Amino acid sequence: MSLASQLIQPPEVSAPRLLGTVLVSELGSSPVTVKISEVEAYRGEDDPASHAFRGRTGRNGSMFEVPGTLYVYRSYGVHWCANVAVGPKGTGWAILFRGGDVIDGMATARSRRGRDDHLANGPGKLCQALGIDGSHDGINLLEAGSPLRLEPGTPPQMVMATPRVGITKAQDLPWRFVAATSSANRS
DNA sequence: AGGATGATGGACT
DNA sequence: GTCCATCATCCTA
């Protein structure tokens, strides 16, 4: 099954299937690759915790684009967070990349992070390691020539589903998915 | 026009 | 574990 076909699904179906895929960044002079180990599903206008809950606005337009579109927003005034739009165009469904492991371009990732560990075990850190910022909002992660791409990988052996992190609404939904073998596991 | 509010991370105790 | 920097965005008036 192709990656594109996985991204057509509803977010709570698509999200766990993105575990084990890889984000390849050629945004800087040398590439960095992160294997995704933690994601969260956001179900557009049906989901009070989603940025898309109140419909399309200036900030969240990319969430309503074709599946594979990158949605980047600033968090707490300082960090960047990256999502990929999923489902049919116009739904506002998206998956937040919450964490992963750097599997290539370690030196570059360490340089960007300014430290040797905890390179991508959080949404802001993941973006920093890959060099993602607001200027990349709206690019297509499925295009072969894109400087930032989502590519197939090895699915994890086991997936844990837990409530989402850092939200105040719809906290009961177990839409955070973590690869059980990941180093990015946090409580 | 102004204020409240984060899908966080890092420093510090 | 606790505290807080920092600012774009959106909602209310």
Side-chain angles (χ1 to χ4, degrees):
Chain A
M1 213 164 183
S2 72
L3 195 47
S5 65
Q6 305 285 17
L7 294 182
I8 308 265
Q9 314 291 329
E12 68 276 17
V13 174
S14 181
R17 297 184 185 176
L18 293 188
L19 296 172
T21 62
V22 295
L23 270 174
V24 181
S25 166
E26 294 168 355
L27 297 171
S29 50
S30 62
V32 172
T33 301
V34 167
K35 179 174 182 159
I36 301 302
S37 62
E38 180 175 345
V39 296
E40 280 176 3
Y42 286 89
R43 200 180 166 103
E45 299 180 80
D46 299 331
D47 180 0
S50 170
H51 288 179
F53 182 56
R54 294 169 200 279
R56 188 169 183 153
T57 66
R59 169 174 63 164
N60 66 19
S62 297
M63 299 177 91
F64 291 84
E65 280 307 318
V66 295
T69 302
L70 181 70
Y71 165 52
V72 181
Y73 67 92
R74 211 207 256 295
S75 172
Y76 290 90
V78 268
H79 310 289
W80 296 105
C81 294
N83 304 242
V84 58
V86 301
K89 179 180 179 181
T91 55
W93 297 346
I95 312 298
L96 169 69
F97 294 114
R98 267 201 73 83
D101 300 294
V102 176
I103 58 172
D104 190 42
M106 188 75 71
T108 303
R110 283 178 168 156
S111 167
R112 283 182 177 141
R113 293 278 300 121
R115 55 195 305 157
D116 289 342
D117 56 357
H118 300 134
L119 297 179
N121 63 330
K125 302 177 208 179
L126 180 146
C127 280
Q128 192 179 15
L130 289 170
I132 299 172
D133 64 41
S135 70
H136 306 117
D137 180 58
I139 68 176
N140 191 325
L141 299 178
L142 299 183
E143 264 175 32
S146 171
L148 184 67
R149 297 185 303 281
L150 185 64
E151 298 180 350
T154 311
Q157 295 198 332
M158 184 171 287
V159 175
M160 293 188 300
T162 73
R164 295 177 290 186
V165 174
I167 56 171
T168 58
K169 298 156 198 157
Q171 294 173 326
D172 51 313
L173 297 170
W175 283 357
R176 171 188 183 228
F177 302 94
V178 184
T181 53
S182 161
S183 67
N185 295 0
R186 298 184 296 177
S187 60

